[in-house]
Amino acid sequence: MGKFCDVMYKCGIPAVIFLMIVCGIIIRIKLVLINQSMWSDECSLYLNISQADYWKFFKPLDWLQVAPPVFMVIEKLIFDLFKNVLPMEMIPRLFPCFCSIATLILFPLFVEKVYKNRVVTAIITFMTAFTPYVVNYANEVKQYSCELFVAVLVLMFFYFFDVKKFSKKTLIICTFLISMAPLLAFSSSFIIAAGSVIVLY
């Protein structure tokens, strides 16, 4: 019985984790391909993406919308590239879907490195893959999937890299890149603040 449990822990749980990730990706892609109509808030952000120029995104947005400027720039770039190829509702959902899928792949890897416990990793993978809000925002013209993806990246940076061992040049480059993260995801500023306190301490 003990050997069976060991085999299940070594082989069965990773297989389940992989299956959950694949299912999560399929669900997200399927939602985008359904090409459902936008609701009012999505329409308001879409109007900014389709009508404003790139510099406008660094100013207050129209239609009472708030979104990180770099997120809007990426959305605008995708819109300009695919506006004559894909349906109108699908184009601005490509980047949120990508961010959600990338999070679904990266977050379990990060959790496994931190906790070194496959059961915990499986639970986190299940939550990331199938939590309704996380899945739904992969198919919305909103920045929330991007916020989650950048949050995971910033957490990984502070966890895996020993800033004290960086050369001065590397430290300057990393500081610049990290300081730009809030332009892509507002919530990353909280993680940067906490991470900076830990590094300074």
Side-chain angles (χ1 to χ4, degrees):
M1 184 67 180
K3 289 184 178 180
F4 175 76
C5 291
D6 289 340
V7 171
M8 283 300 296
Y9 185 80
K10 291 179 180 179
C11 303
I13 295 178
V16 171
I17 291 171
F18 177 77
L19 184 62
M20 285 191 291
I21 291 173
V22 171
C23 290
I25 292 172
I26 291 172
I27 290 170
R28 285 156 172 78
I29 293 174
K30 184 177 179 180
L31 283 174
V32 172
L33 292 177
I34 288 173
N35 195 31
Q36 67 185 30
S37 300
M38 297 181 191
W39 64 289
S40 59
D41 221 24
E42 287 183 287
C43 290
S44 298
L45 200 63
Y46 177 80
L47 287 173
N48 282 278
I49 294 168
S50 60
Q51 296 179 0
D53 57 40
Y54 289 92
W55 292 111
K56 172 68 176 175
F57 301 138
F58 292 87
K59 302 176 182 178
L61 300 176
D62 296 328
W63 310 100
L64 301 176
Q65 293 300 298
V66 177
V70 175
F71 169 82
M72 295 296 290
V73 167
I74 294 172
E75 285 281 17
K76 176 71 172 179
L77 181 61
I78 295 172
F79 173 80
D80 288 342
L81 288 173
F82 295 102
K83 62 184 177 182
N84 296 321
V85 180
L86 297 175
M88 178 192 77
E89 294 88 351
M90 189 181 295
I91 297 170
R93 289 174 173 148
L94 295 177
F95 184 56
C97 183
F98 166 81
C99 289
S100 188
I101 290 173
T103 302
L104 180 55
I105 295 170
L106 282 180
F107 198 35
L109 294 175
F110 175 59
V111 170
E112 177 64 23
K113 288 290 185 181
V114 173
Y115 292 100
K116 296 179 175 60
N117 186 315
R118 289 176 178 170
V119 175
V120 173
T121 304
I123 293 170
I124 294 297
T125 304
F126 179 85
M127 293 172 64
T128 309
F130 304 118
T131 298
Y133 284 111
V134 178
V135 174
N136 186 57
Y137 284 130
N139 186 46
E140 287 205 4
V141 189
K142 302 295 289 184
Q143 70 270 26
Y144 306 125
S145 290
C146 180
E147 296 270 354
L148 182 57
F149 175 54
V150 175
V152 171
L153 289 179
V154 175
L155 281 171
M156 292 176 71
F157 171 81
F158 280 110
Y159 184 83
F160 289 119
F161 295 101
D162 188 351
V163 179
K164 296 176 184 177
K165 295 181 180 179
F166 283 1
S167 65
K168 186 178 291 186
K169 182 180 179 181
T170 303
L171 186 59
I172 291 172
I173 294 172
C174 289
T175 301
F176 173 77
L177 292 175
I178 289 294
S179 66
M180 292 295 104
L183 296 177
L184 183 57
F186 291 143
S187 59
S188 64
S189 57
F190 298 104
I191 302 171
I192 293 169
S196 299
V197 169
I198 293 171
V199 169
L200 291 172
Y201 178 77

